[in-house]
Amino acid sequence: MNKLWIVTFETFLRQVKSWSFVMLIIGPFLMFGISMGAGYLGASSSQNTDKIAVISDQSQLRNSFIKANKEDVDKKVTDKDKAAKMMQKNDLAGYLVLKLDNQKIRAKYFGTDSLSSGQKARINSYLMRTQQQLNVAKAQLTPTQVNDLQQQPELKENIQKKTGTANLAKTISYWITVIMVYIILITYTTITAQEIASEKGTKIMEIIFSSTTAVKYFLGKILGVLLVIMAQILIYLVGGWGGYLVAQNSSLTKGFISQYQSLIDSVLKNILSLNLVYLFLGVVIYTILAAFSGALVAKAEDASKAAQPVIMLNLVAFFVTFPFQNNLDSIIVKVFSYVPFFSSYFMPLRIINNNASPLEITLSLAVLVLSIVLLARYIGSIYQGLMLQTDDSSFWKRFKRGLSYNK
């Protein structure tokens, strides 16, 4: 057992110390940081050009508008000529002239481009609110009459969800899960296959197999790679949560987060569920198959080609899910949600859409776990016969010879 863990931790440490693993980890966070930095610089550079000036002879009218629209207004500009010059230099988006004439508010906007829909809505809201206050004061209404005028209409929604149709949160959740599974599988099947294939036919393998069993060595390799995968997923979860907290408090993104909070909560709930278990178990079974594929190459120089069969199977499983996103009642979806190598894609689709019962999920997980155990045990039993083949024979001859060696 000690030799098993020695191989496991040696494989783990070698992988996490590599530059490829470091770049794999920091890549998403680096892209997030660059995006945030570019957004901040863009927002800083356009801070003034997005703002407007407010010009008015009535200081109270101007101050009330600025108070209601602080983010849109450049407070320093009070003169019409100065505002026009700044607008021509592209230091100001434009200027708004407010006038009060016979208890009626008049507004006129001057700019190099049209107001954005958001700015226009906020200006209209201010004008209507202020005009209403003036009208109420002019009409000398009683408090009861004022309350009657302030009554607002009410809109309610009653959404009828259709079975088999994913809403936006479910669709986003599914695609994030599927892409995570696909990327991690592609990455680690290649790493595992090359890790095994690089040792193919070397004399060191004869020495290793003389000191420990092929099963222990094979399982040690697999467990080492799985520890690397678990470390990556853990780092992504912790880093992702930290990035989410930063986005909640950043001036660039907190408005977006607040606006779509319910959608984001639903997506996170769908991802941080049994789907993570399927992600991990899917990676496990593909990793074992990749190790088998790596052991089948003719020589160490063919390590770059070792992962191709597993990658092709992963591509098939990935693309087969596309036609069934809105057809969860299909018998193909139900069957493939129990089939190893495919269930990691199909069962999360059913879980996210509440299309699978607890019994079905348990049965699917049991089939997947049992398949992993049996596959690892069988490949471990023929691993020595596969690794010690040094002749440059055809793939099928190496495959048959490896299967015939079973200890």
Short mmCIF file of all heavy atoms in Angstrom, two decimals, residues 61 64 97-107 126-135:
data_model
loop_
_atom_site.label_atom_id
_atom_site.label_comp_id
_atom_site.label_asym_id
_atom_site.label_seq_id
_atom_site.Cartn_x
_atom_site.Cartn_y
_atom_site.Cartn_z
N LEU A 61 -34.05 74.14 -9.61
CA LEU A 61 -34.40 73.15 -10.61
C LEU A 61 -33.17 72.33 -11.03
O LEU A 61 -33.22 71.10 -11.14
CB LEU A 61 -35.01 73.85 -11.83
CG LEU A 61 -35.63 72.96 -12.92
CD1 LEU A 61 -36.81 72.18 -12.37
CD2 LEU A 61 -36.06 73.81 -14.10
N SER A 64 -32.01 70.00 -8.08
CA SER A 64 -32.88 68.83 -7.88
C SER A 64 -32.63 67.77 -8.94
O SER A 64 -32.68 66.57 -8.68
CB SER A 64 -34.36 69.25 -7.88
OG SER A 64 -34.74 69.77 -9.14
N VAL A 97 -30.62 71.80 -21.18
CA VAL A 97 -31.08 73.13 -20.75
C VAL A 97 -32.48 72.98 -20.17
O VAL A 97 -33.40 72.49 -20.85
CB VAL A 97 -31.08 74.13 -21.93
CG1 VAL A 97 -31.62 75.48 -21.45
CG2 VAL A 97 -29.68 74.28 -22.51
N LEU A 98 -32.64 73.39 -18.89
CA LEU A 98 -33.93 73.30 -18.21
C LEU A 98 -34.50 74.70 -17.99
O LEU A 98 -33.77 75.60 -17.55
CB LEU A 98 -33.76 72.59 -16.85
CG LEU A 98 -33.31 71.12 -16.87
CD1 LEU A 98 -33.13 70.62 -15.45
CD2 LEU A 98 -34.32 70.25 -17.62
N LYS A 99 -35.76 74.85 -18.29
CA LYS A 99 -36.44 76.14 -18.08
C LYS A 99 -37.78 75.91 -17.42
O LYS A 99 -38.43 74.89 -17.64
CB LYS A 99 -36.65 76.88 -19.42
CG LYS A 99 -35.37 77.35 -20.07
CD LYS A 99 -35.68 78.12 -21.36
CE LYS A 99 -34.41 78.63 -22.00
NZ LYS A 99 -34.69 79.38 -23.27
N LEU A 100 -38.20 76.87 -16.64
CA LEU A 100 -39.53 76.84 -16.00
C LEU A 100 -40.30 78.04 -16.52
O LEU A 100 -39.98 79.19 -16.21
CB LEU A 100 -39.39 76.88 -14.48
CG LEU A 100 -40.69 76.76 -13.69
CD1 LEU A 100 -41.38 75.43 -13.99
CD2 LEU A 100 -40.43 76.89 -12.20
N ASP A 101 -41.33 77.77 -17.32
CA ASP A 101 -42.08 78.83 -17.97
C ASP A 101 -43.57 78.63 -17.70
O ASP A 101 -44.17 77.68 -18.18
CB ASP A 101 -41.81 78.79 -19.48
CG ASP A 101 -42.47 79.95 -20.22
OD1 ASP A 101 -42.88 80.92 -19.55
OD2 ASP A 101 -42.56 79.86 -21.47
N ASN A 102 -44.15 79.58 -16.91
CA ASN A 102 -45.56 79.50 -16.56
C ASN A 102 -45.94 78.15 -15.95
O ASN A 102 -46.90 77.48 -16.39
CB ASN A 102 -46.45 79.79 -17.79
CG ASN A 102 -46.29 81.22 -18.27
OD1 ASN A 102 -46.10 82.15 -17.46
ND2 ASN A 102 -46.36 81.41 -19.57
N GLN A 103 -45.12 77.74 -14.95
CA GLN A 103 -45.35 76.49 -14.22
C GLN A 103 -45.27 75.24 -15.12
O GLN A 103 -45.83 74.19 -14.80
CB GLN A 103 -46.73 76.51 -13.52
CG GLN A 103 -46.85 77.58 -12.45
CD GLN A 103 -45.86 77.35 -11.31
OE1 GLN A 103 -45.81 76.28 -10.73
NE2 GLN A 103 -45.07 78.38 -11.00
N LYS A 104 -44.56 75.39 -16.23
CA LYS A 104 -44.33 74.24 -17.10
C LYS A 104 -42.84 74.08 -17.34
O LYS A 104 -42.15 75.04 -17.72
CB LYS A 104 -45.06 74.44 -18.45
CG LYS A 104 -44.92 73.23 -19.37
CD LYS A 104 -45.74 73.43 -20.64
CE LYS A 104 -45.61 72.20 -21.54
NZ LYS A 104 -46.43 72.32 -22.78
N ILE A 105 -42.35 72.86 -17.11
CA ILE A 105 -40.93 72.58 -17.29
C ILE A 105 -40.66 72.27 -18.74
O ILE A 105 -41.35 71.44 -19.37
CB ILE A 105 -40.48 71.39 -16.41
CG1 ILE A 105 -40.63 71.74 -14.93
CG2 ILE A 105 -39.03 71.02 -16.71
CD1 ILE A 105 -40.23 70.62 -14.01
N ARG A 106 -39.63 72.94 -19.29
CA ARG A 106 -39.21 72.68 -20.65
C ARG A 106 -37.74 72.24 -20.63
O ARG A 106 -36.92 72.86 -19.96
CB ARG A 106 -39.37 73.92 -21.54
CG ARG A 106 -40.81 74.43 -21.57
CD ARG A 106 -40.92 75.66 -22.46
NE ARG A 106 -42.25 76.23 -22.40
CZ ARG A 106 -43.28 75.84 -23.15
NH1 ARG A 106 -43.10 74.87 -24.03
NH2 ARG A 106 -44.45 76.42 -23.03
N ALA A 107 -37.43 71.19 -21.37
CA ALA A 107 -36.06 70.67 -21.41
C ALA A 107 -35.64 70.49 -22.86
O ALA A 107 -36.42 70.03 -23.70
CB ALA A 107 -35.98 69.35 -20.67
N TYR A 126 -37.69 62.24 -14.33
CA TYR A 126 -37.52 63.45 -13.50
C TYR A 126 -38.50 64.53 -13.94
O TYR A 126 -39.14 65.19 -13.11
CB TYR A 126 -36.08 63.95 -13.61
CG TYR A 126 -35.91 65.34 -13.06
CD1 TYR A 126 -35.81 65.57 -11.69
CD2 TYR A 126 -35.89 66.45 -13.92
CE1 TYR A 126 -35.68 66.85 -11.19
CE2 TYR A 126 -35.75 67.73 -13.42
CZ TYR A 126 -35.65 67.93 -12.06
OH TYR A 126 -35.53 69.21 -11.56
N LEU A 127 -38.62 64.75 -15.25
CA LEU A 127 -39.49 65.81 -15.75
C LEU A 127 -40.94 65.54 -15.37
O LEU A 127 -41.67 66.46 -14.94
CB LEU A 127 -39.35 65.91 -17.27
CG LEU A 127 -38.00 66.39 -17.80
CD1 LEU A 127 -37.96 66.32 -19.32
CD2 LEU A 127 -37.68 67.80 -17.32
N MET A 128 -41.39 64.30 -15.53
CA MET A 128 -42.77 63.97 -15.20
C MET A 128 -43.04 64.12 -13.70
O MET A 128 -44.08 64.64 -13.29
CB MET A 128 -43.08 62.53 -15.64
CG MET A 128 -43.11 62.36 -17.16
SD MET A 128 -43.39 60.64 -17.65
CE MET A 128 -45.04 60.39 -16.98
N ARG A 129 -42.08 63.68 -12.88
CA ARG A 129 -42.26 63.78 -11.43
C ARG A 129 -42.29 65.23 -10.97
O ARG A 129 -43.14 65.62 -10.15
CB ARG A 129 -41.12 63.02 -10.74
CG ARG A 129 -41.28 62.91 -9.23
CD ARG A 129 -40.24 61.98 -8.63
NE ARG A 129 -38.88 62.44 -8.91
CZ ARG A 129 -38.04 61.86 -9.74
NH1 ARG A 129 -38.45 60.80 -10.44
NH2 ARG A 129 -36.82 62.33 -9.92
N THR A 130 -41.39 66.02 -11.50
CA THR A 130 -41.33 67.44 -11.10
C THR A 130 -42.56 68.20 -11.61
O THR A 130 -43.13 69.04 -10.89
CB THR A 130 -40.05 68.09 -11.65
OG1 THR A 130 -38.93 67.33 -11.23
CG2 THR A 130 -39.91 69.52 -11.13
N GLN A 131 -42.96 67.91 -12.84
CA GLN A 131 -44.14 68.57 -13.40
C GLN A 131 -45.40 68.22 -12.60
O GLN A 131 -46.28 69.06 -12.38
CB GLN A 131 -44.32 68.18 -14.86
CG GLN A 131 -45.44 68.93 -15.58
CD GLN A 131 -45.16 70.42 -15.68
OE1 GLN A 131 -44.16 70.83 -16.24
NE2 GLN A 131 -46.05 71.26 -15.12
N GLN A 132 -45.48 66.96 -12.16
CA GLN A 132 -46.62 66.55 -11.36
C GLN A 132 -46.67 67.31 -10.03
O GLN A 132 -47.75 67.70 -9.57
CB GLN A 132 -46.57 65.03 -11.10
CG GLN A 132 -47.81 64.50 -10.39
CD GLN A 132 -47.75 63.00 -10.19
OE1 GLN A 132 -46.68 62.42 -10.25
NE2 GLN A 132 -48.89 62.39 -9.95
N GLN A 133 -45.50 67.51 -9.44
CA GLN A 133 -45.45 68.27 -8.18
C GLN A 133 -45.93 69.71 -8.39
O GLN A 133 -46.67 70.26 -7.56
CB GLN A 133 -44.02 68.26 -7.63
CG GLN A 133 -43.56 66.89 -7.15
CD GLN A 133 -42.09 66.88 -6.78
OE1 GLN A 133 -41.37 67.87 -6.98
NE2 GLN A 133 -41.62 65.75 -6.25
N LEU A 134 -45.52 70.29 -9.50
CA LEU A 134 -45.97 71.66 -9.82
C LEU A 134 -47.47 71.71 -10.07
O LEU A 134 -48.17 72.64 -9.63
CB LEU A 134 -45.22 72.18 -11.05
CG LEU A 134 -43.72 72.44 -10.88
CD1 LEU A 134 -43.09 72.77 -12.22
CD2 LEU A 134 -43.48 73.57 -9.89
N ASN A 135 -47.99 70.69 -10.76
CA ASN A 135 -49.43 70.65 -11.05
C ASN A 135 -50.25 70.51 -9.78
O ASN A 135 -51.30 71.13 -9.61
CB ASN A 135 -49.75 69.50 -11.99
CG ASN A 135 -49.15 69.69 -13.38
OD1 ASN A 135 -48.80 70.81 -13.75
ND2 ASN A 135 -49.02 68.61 -14.13
#
